């Protein structure tokens, strides 16, 4: 039997009738299967060993196999700067190796997932593709990989995305670019590293691991579970969760000690009147149609009805107006003013749910602002000044929740956000990077009492420790 890589799939020539996973393809009169079955087929044929060498056939095994699919080289790499892994990093690497170099590692933001990725690349010793969700994170990985392995490679670390199309033995790319080209390069890599892997179950992105033969796979994330339950697909695509550490398990020794402080403010009389009026319009409509808005399909059904039902459209507008009143409450900004004064000597990040509110705060308190509209050069300059201490505070919308390496801060202030536990955990992680400052990090959450924010806050904090309330 001969196995070939063919446009994101495996073509099996002269295959026996009992070959697993494969289906007959009338177009080529041969068997065909998904590319990610490559390792399983080699194991079935007795041609797989973990040392990347051809094994002898199992005793009495009738099938032979010619491997014409593999186009990835072996590599001998050692990170240029030798840093002793932390105990949990070494334990995570060992667990991944023990699970045949397949699986996911779940570690909090700031705990060194990229360092773990470098160790895995060196251990696997094969050509590697690193997939990231954003161009910023792709560029950060590229710089890290170049510093670690650049002098040991015959070609520079490759970049696929952001206007670059250089595919080499060690290449970093984005989800979008990987999806676009995986059928072309799916045989070129023996290790697939997926950063922020919780994005992978999306219908298009899951084709990335499906159309690659990579026998070794590593998923990295701080927030594995998805509200829609589709994280269960990751075990088939990458392997099981082989190691996990929570924030509280690392706080103190490896991450900053922290406390979360939940502060409530009231609406003014005028704000309360407007809020109650708008929110009641929304609730009346929802209650009359029995939507379960805390479930993805329930909220989607509500949005769908608003596209053709005038009353539904009015309910959606009322909901948005009520949220805006709660989000921008006058006393919330007064509380922010007090916190800014209290922490003028600290490094603080102010988080909002949308760009308009972030810009309003930037103008009101003369604080630099970063949103998805901020140009790369400007964002880089702001973060550099934040790192040096020239800027002690910055305000951002959701753009800094993940995918950008943010300098260490010790104070976070959440003014508004979604019900996502992932978003809350990622914002907490922004202030947990260890520093020389022995004071515990603080994450403030300012919510408007007796509004939809109260319920949103409760949902996003489920499963995340809280040590103080105010």
């Amino acid at each position: 039997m001969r196995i070939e890589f063919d446009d994101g799939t495996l073509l099996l020539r002269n295959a026996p009738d009992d070959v697993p996973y494969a289906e007959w393809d009338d177009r080529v009169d041969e068997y065909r299967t998904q590319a990610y079955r490559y390792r399983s087929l080699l194991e079935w044929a007795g041609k797989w060993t973990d040392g990347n060498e051809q094994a002898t056939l199992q005793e009495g095994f009738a099938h032979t196999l010619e491997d014409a699919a593999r186009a990835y080289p072996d590599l001998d790499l050692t990170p240029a700067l030798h840093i002793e892994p932390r105990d949990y990093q070494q334990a995570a690497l060992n667990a991944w190796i023990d699970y045949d170099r397949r699986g996911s590692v779940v570690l909090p933001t700031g705990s060194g997932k990229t360092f773990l990725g470098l160790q895995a690349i060196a251990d696997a010793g094969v050509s590697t593709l690193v997939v990231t969700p954003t161009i910023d994170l792709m560029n950060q990985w590229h710089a890290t990989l170049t510093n670690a392995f650049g002098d040991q490679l015959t070609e520079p670390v490759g970049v696929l995305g952001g206007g670059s199309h250089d595919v080499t033995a060690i290449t970093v790319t984005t989800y979008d670019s990987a999806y676009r080209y995986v059928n072309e390069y799916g045989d070129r890599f023996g290790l697939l590293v997926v950063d922020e892997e919780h994005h992978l179950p999306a219908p298009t992105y899951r084709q990335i691991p499906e159309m690659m033969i990579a026998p070794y796979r590593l998923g990295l994330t701080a927030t594995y579970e998805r509200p829609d339950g589709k994280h269960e697909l990751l075990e088939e695509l990458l392997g099981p969760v082989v190691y996990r550490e929570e924030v509280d398990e690392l706080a103190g020794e490896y991450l900053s000690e922290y406390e979360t402080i939940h502060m409530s403010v009231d609406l003014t009389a005028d704000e309360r009147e407007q809020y109650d009026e708008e929110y009641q319009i929304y609730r009346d409509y929802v209650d009359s149609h029995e939507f379960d808005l805390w479930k993805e399909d329930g909220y989607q059904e509500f949005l769908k009805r608003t596209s053709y039902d005038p009353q539904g459209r009015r309910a959606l507008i009322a909901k948005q107006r009520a949220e805006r009143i709660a989000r921008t409450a006058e006393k919330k900004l007064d509380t922010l003013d007090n916190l800014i004064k209290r922490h003028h000597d600290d490094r603080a990040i102010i988080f909002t749910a949308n760009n308009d509110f972030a810009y309003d705060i930037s103008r009101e308190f003369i604080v630099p602002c970063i949103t998805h509209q901020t140009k790369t050069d400007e964002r880089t300059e702001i973060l550099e000044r934040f790192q040096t201490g020239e800027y002690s505070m910055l305000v951002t919308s959701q753009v800094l929740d993940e995918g950008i390496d943010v300098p260490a801060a010790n104070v976070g202030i959440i003014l508004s956000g979604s019900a996502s536990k992932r978003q809350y955990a990622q914002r907490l992680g922004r202030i947990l990077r260890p520093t020389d400052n022995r004071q515990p990090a603080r994450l403030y959450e300012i919510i408007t009492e007796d509004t939809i924010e109260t319920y949103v806050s409760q949902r996003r904090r489920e499963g995340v420790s809280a040590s103080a309330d105010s």
Side-chain angles (χ1 to χ4, degrees):
M1 182 176 77
R2 176 183 172 90
I3 180 172
E4 300 174 359
F5 181 79
D6 182 47
D7 196 28
T9 64
L10 293 177
L11 188 62
L12 311 178
R13 300 191 183 278
N14 303 317
D17 293 338
D18 63 343
V19 64
Y21 316 117
E23 295 182 0
W24 184 260
D25 188 339
D26 290 329
R27 295 171 299 176
V28 292
D29 293 330
E30 299 286 356
Y31 283 98
R32 191 186 294 273
T33 189
Q34 292 171 295
Y36 80 100
R37 299 290 190 183
Y38 169 78
R39 175 168 170 171
S40 297
L41 286 171
L42 264 62
E43 291 174 341
W44 167 79
K47 301 282 279 186
W48 171 261
T49 64
D50 209 26
N52 300 315
E53 299 174 353
Q54 292 295 312
T56 57
L57 295 179
Q58 298 173 3
E59 185 176 354
F61 198 77
H63 303 307
T64 59
L65 181 145
E66 179 186 357
D67 183 3
R70 172 175 171 167
Y72 62 85
D74 293 332
L75 300 175
D76 184 10
L77 299 174
T78 303
L81 181 61
H82 179 72
I83 301 175
E84 194 69 25
R86 297 169 179 170
D87 291 345
Y88 66 88
Q89 291 171 329
Q90 187 62 56
L93 180 65
N94 292 342
W96 179 71
I97 295 171
D98 290 343
Y99 276 87
D100 299 325
R101 295 179 175 84
R102 287 175 56 87
S104 299
V105 173
V106 184
L107 292 173
T109 301
S111 60
K113 292 187 292 294
T114 303
F115 176 80
L116 177 62
L118 297 180
Q119 300 300 310
I121 292 170
D123 175 80
V126 291
S127 182
T128 300
L129 180 69
V130 178
V131 183
T132 70
T134 65
I135 291 177
D136 292 290
L137 195 52
M138 178 186 74
N139 291 334
Q140 290 171 197
W141 266 97
H142 180 265
T144 301
L145 290 166
T146 299
N147 290 335
F149 304 125
D151 292 341
Q152 303 168 54
L153 298 169
T154 57
E155 299 176 284
V157 174
V159 177
L160 182 61
S164 298
H165 195 126
D166 301 312
V167 178
T168 63
I170 302 291
T171 296
V172 61
T173 184
T174 62
Y175 280 83
D176 289 334
S177 295
Y179 163 71
R180 181 178 179 184
Y181 293 106
V182 66
N183 63 321
E184 183 177 349
Y185 297 115
D187 59 341
R188 294 275 298 271
F189 303 98
L191 170 62
L192 171 65
V193 177
V194 183
D195 201 4
E196 307 290 359
E197 64 175 307
H198 49 269
H199 296 288
L200 199 62
T204 53
Y205 294 156
R206 74 181 65 160
Q207 295 180 46
I208 299 169
E210 288 176 345
M211 299 175 73
M212 293 187 65
I213 70 171
Y216 303 131
R217 296 170 181 231
L218 172 64
L220 300 170
T221 184
T223 49
Y224 184 80
E225 284 75 21
R226 291 169 53 105
D228 59 10
K230 291 182 180 178
H231 55 272
E232 295 177 358
L233 297 171
L234 294 172
E235 182 167 352
E236 174 71 13
L237 299 174
L238 300 177
V241 175
V242 298
Y243 191 85
R244 180 194 292 263
E245 291 278 6
E246 303 296 343
V247 169
D248 284 348
E249 295 168 336
L250 300 182
E253 183 176 1
Y254 299 110
L255 297 176
S256 297
E257 292 281 4
Y258 75 98
E259 59 179 336
T260 55
I261 304 171
H262 310 293
M263 310 179 73
S264 299
V265 299
D266 294 319
L267 294 172
T268 64
D270 288 343
E271 288 172 337
R272 172 56 65 186
E273 182 180 356
Q274 296 175 46
Y275 177 87
D276 288 346
E277 179 181 346
E278 297 293 343
Y279 187 71
Q280 195 59 49
I281 293 173
Y282 162 65
R283 281 311 318 178
D284 288 345
Y285 183 82
V286 169
D287 292 343
S288 66
H289 293 81
E290 299 182 349
F291 299 115
D292 187 348
L293 297 179
W294 293 117
K295 293 183 179 179
E296 183 180 12
D297 55 353
Y299 192 70
Q300 291 302 320
E301 180 62 26
F302 166 65
L303 292 178
K304 186 188 210 178
R305 289 188 68 92
T306 65
S307 66
Y308 61 83
D309 182 354
Q311 289 183 329
R313 179 64 180 169
R314 176 66 183 93
L316 177 60
I317 293 172
K319 174 179 180 288
Q320 293 170 341
R321 288 174 176 171
E323 288 175 336
R324 184 165 55 251
I325 293 168
R327 184 171 59 242
T328 61
E330 181 179 326
K331 292 182 180 179
K332 183 181 285 190
L333 296 181
D334 290 341
T335 302
L336 174 62
D337 184 43
N338 290 331
L339 290 177
I340 288 177
K341 292 173 181 176
R342 182 188 305 177
H343 292 287
H344 67 278
D345 288 332
D346 292 301
R347 202 76 57 83
I349 302 175
I350 304 166
F351 297 100
T352 70
N354 57 52
N355 293 347
D356 289 342
F357 194 30
Y359 290 130
D360 288 344
I361 292 169
S362 177
R363 287 188 290 266
E364 177 73 18
F365 296 98
I366 316 178
V367 175
C369 180
I370 294 179
T371 72
H372 76 276
Q373 298 172 340
T374 308
K375 294 182 179 180
T376 301
D377 291 346
E378 181 182 357
R379 180 169 59 198
T380 300
E381 182 180 355
I382 291 174
L383 290 176
E384 286 177 350
R385 292 187 177 188
F386 186 69
Q387 183 173 23
T388 62
E390 183 176 350
Y391 294 154
S392 62
M393 294 189 180
L394 61 86
V395 59
T396 180
S397 56
Q398 301 179 49
V399 71
L400 295 187
D401 288 345
E402 70 173 21
I404 298 176
D405 189 11
V406 180
N410 64 324
V411 174
I413 303 172
I414 297 176
L415 288 179
S416 55
S418 71
S420 167
K421 300 174 192 175
R422 175 177 300 123
Q423 183 189 75
Y424 187 78
Q426 287 164 337
R427 289 177 169 184
L428 175 61
R430 292 305 183 193
I431 64 171
L432 293 183
R433 297 181 188 275
T435 65
D436 293 334
N437 187 346
R438 297 303 178 186
Q439 294 297 319
R442 292 181 178 178
L443 182 67
Y444 294 93
E445 182 186 28
I446 309 173
I447 62 171
T448 307
E449 188 70 21
D450 196 21
T451 68
I452 194 172
E453 284 198 334
T454 304
Y455 309 107
V456 168
S457 172
Q458 290 172 349
R459 289 187 65 84
R460 68 180 171 227
R461 287 190 282 119
E462 290 174 0
V464 181
S465 296
S467 59
D469 289 274
S470 175

